[in-house]
Amino acid sequence: AQKVTQAQTEISVVEKEDVTLDCVYETRDTTYYLFWYKQPPSGELVFLIRRNSFDEQNEISGRYSWNFQKSTSSFNFTITASQVVDSAVYFCALSEALSGANSKLTFGKGITLSVRP
Amino acid sequence: GAGVSQTPSNKVTEKGKYVELRCDPISGHTALYWYRQSLGQGPEFLIYFQGTGAADDSGLPNDRFFAVRPEGSVSTLKIQRTERGDSAVYLCASSPNRGVYTEAFFGQGTRLTVV
């Protein structure tokens, strides 16, 4: 069975601070996909990144970066120089490749990030 | 172009009643998913359609829940004899391709409250 654990429930930072959101996953599959989604107050889930299990390269996109480590089954997300607009709930998710990649996502419980001005 | 549209945005119903929740996917998207998100939790998978057929309905909690997609576009999630525990946000997502990874686009959800 798949499982995604986001141990942090709420994080509060002051604008311009860096913040890291942790994600630990469990799966028996050798091929799988990991995702991060952002859920602002409007409720819509916004896709941020997908990473497949064979690609352990870290990725940077603007102020966002992701650190994937298979050895520790972790896929952590760092926001550099946080901004008030980053305030949202962030979800880490996992899917099995055989299911069609994004057809059946297992989500963590989410981390509520509050960025104060 | 329009994103995934879900109606109604809010629905309040009495325990025991029947409800229908509608999802209009992005035009041309063949894959459609329903998820349920309870308060303070991540979304949980309910059912996945590829075209008109349900490819995976393993997430439906019981036989009170049923979903259809008769023409391969709009989908309706139907809940019979609603219970207070069914209260949640029901999210719909769609994606364009079969078998090849593509991003799933989510709607804003329908907030169902059973009183």
Side-chain angles (χ1 to χ4, degrees), chain A residues 33-53:
Chain A
Y33 294 85
L34 294 163
F35 304 77
W36 276 93
Y37 280 87
K38 175 181 180 179
Q39 188 173 46
S42 62
E44 187 172 340
L45 281 165
V46 178
F47 169 84
L48 296 178
I49 190 172
R50 169 189 64 109
R51 174 67 73 222
N52 75 55
S53 52

Side-chain angles (χ1 to χ4, degrees), chain A residues 31-103:
Chain A
T31 304
Y32 51 89
Y33 294 85
L34 294 163
F35 304 77
W36 276 93
Y37 280 87
K38 175 181 180 179
Q39 188 173 46
S42 62
E44 187 172 340
L45 281 165
V46 178
F47 169 84
L48 296 178
I49 190 172
R50 169 189 64 109
R51 174 67 73 222
N52 75 55
S53 52
F54 297 110
D55 182 1
E56 285 194 72
Q57 273 194 324
N58 291 334
E59 181 156 339
I60 298 175
S61 176
R63 296 184 297 107
Y64 296 170
S65 62
W66 291 270
N67 182 290
F68 175 30
Q69 293 196 344
K70 286 180 78 170
S71 61
T72 55
S73 297
S74 65
F75 186 44
N76 296 339
F77 172 30
T78 297
I79 302 174
T80 302
S82 60
Q83 300 176 1
V84 173
V85 293
D86 295 328
S87 298
V89 181
Y90 290 85
F91 291 97
C92 181
L94 169 71
S95 78
E96 301 169 331
L98 290 177
S99 69
N102 66 348
S103 64

Side-chain angles (χ1 to χ4, degrees), chain B residues 91-115:
Chain B
L91 295 166
C92 177
S94 69
S95 68
N97 290 332
R98 176 207 303 261
V100 175
Y101 172 77
T102 51
E103 171 190 343
F105 295 83
F106 282 82
Q108 291 187 315
T110 293
R111 182 176 297 278
L112 175 66
T113 303
V114 182
V115 297

